[in-house]
């Protein structure tokens, strides 16, 4: 199952990848993530398949990418490129991730606009809705997999549950939850650290 985001590592490499490898990998990531789920595909390519980062480095980069302004997955691509090859790596990853999806989005947008009011319009809307469901499933799967391997202990589980419920169930603003929970989480991590 070579296209599943949970396949085992098959292409571990040592050293810094070439700019062409970074570009090609992020073109692949951008093409596989139709409908969303980009974090799942990025983790599969960068951690499992290529071995460029481990799970802890990936999670750190993903967390940082969510905190800074801009699209999280574009920020993540820039972070990974910078880690691998500096500024040139960041440009290679950014261009690889965005080039073909931009063309596809423009083409899909034209198709959607021209299909409105015609008999094919409902089919296009249903297809886009189905891709959204796939994206949600991929994100949930990645979240569960990463949590299973990287969240252990009562305090991290409690912090994760509070953040998830606050945003997902109660609908609190992401910014407000982060502003409250980041210092709480850091304080709890400091208080419960091994001595």
């Amino acid at each position: 199952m070579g296209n599943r985001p949970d396949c085992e590592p098959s292409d571990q490499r040592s050293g810094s990848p070439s700019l062409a490898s970074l570009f090609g990998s992020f073109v692949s990531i951008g093409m596989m993530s139709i409908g969303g789920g980009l974090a799942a595909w990025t983790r599969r390519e960068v951690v499992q398949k290529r071995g460029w980062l481990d799970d802890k480095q990936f999670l750190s980069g993903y967390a940082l990418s969510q905190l800074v302004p801009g699209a999280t997955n574009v920020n993540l691509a820039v972070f990974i490129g910078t880690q691998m090859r500096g500024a040139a790596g960041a440009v290679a990853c950014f261009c690889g991730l965005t080039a073909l999806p931009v063309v596809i989005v423009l083409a899909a947008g034209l198709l959607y606009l021209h299909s409105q009011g015609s008999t094919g319009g409902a089919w296009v809307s249903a297809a886009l809705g189905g891709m959204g469901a796939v994206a949600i499933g991929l994100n949930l799967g990645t979240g569960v997999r990463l949590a299973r391997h990287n969240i252990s202990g009562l305090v991290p589980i409690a912090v994760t549950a509070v953040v998830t419920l606050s945003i997902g169930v109660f609908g609190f603003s992401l910014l407000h939850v982060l502003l409250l929970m980041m210092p709480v989480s850091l304080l709890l991590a400091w208080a419960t650290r091994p001595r």
Side-chain angles (χ1 to χ4, degrees):
M1 300 290 170
N3 290 334
R4 287 176 46 210
D6 60 343
C7 70
E8 293 303 315
S10 63
D11 192 19
Q12 298 286 334
R13 299 211 169 115
S14 59
S16 295
S18 67
L19 294 176
S21 293
L22 288 171
F23 179 81
S25 291
F26 276 86
V27 165
S28 173
I29 290 167
M31 292 302 296
M32 289 186 289
S33 64
I34 292 175
L38 200 63
W41 292 112
T42 303
R43 179 181 174 273
R44 174 191 179 266
E45 184 74 17
V46 172
V47 176
Q48 292 179 312
K49 185 177 177 188
R50 303 286 183 176
W52 291 336
L53 299 176
D54 61 28
D55 264 336
K56 290 198 183 301
Q57 292 169 316
F58 178 81
L59 286 173
S60 296
Y62 192 63
L64 179 64
S65 299
Q66 290 179 316
L67 294 175
V68 297
T72 299
N73 292 302
V74 173
N75 292 343
L76 182 60
V78 170
F79 170 83
I80 292 167
T82 303
Q83 290 290 104
M84 298 293 100
R85 294 293 303 266
V91 170
C93 290
F94 172 81
C95 290
L97 182 68
T98 59
L100 292 175
V102 164
V103 171
I104 291 171
V105 165
L106 290 174
L110 286 172
L111 175 65
Y112 180 76
L113 288 175
H114 289 298
S115 69
Q116 295 304 300
S118 69
T119 56
W123 181 86
V124 172
S125 295
L128 292 174
M131 286 189 272
V134 169
I136 292 169
L138 282 170
N139 284 325
L140 283 174
T142 299
V144 168
R145 192 175 311 109
L146 287 171
R148 208 173 50 223
H149 296 296
N150 295 289
I151 298 177
S152 60
L154 186 59
V155 171
I157 291 171
V159 169
T160 302
V162 168
V163 170
T164 301
L165 291 172
S166 298
I167 296 169
V169 175
F170 300 118
F172 293 125
S173 161
L174 173 64
L175 179 62
H176 292 124
V177 173
L178 286 177
L179 287 175
L180 176 67
M181 290 306 295
M182 280 179 24
V184 169
S185 178
L186 291 170
L187 181 63
L188 289 171
W190 178 80
T192 60
R193 74 190 187 284
R195 298 180 198 278

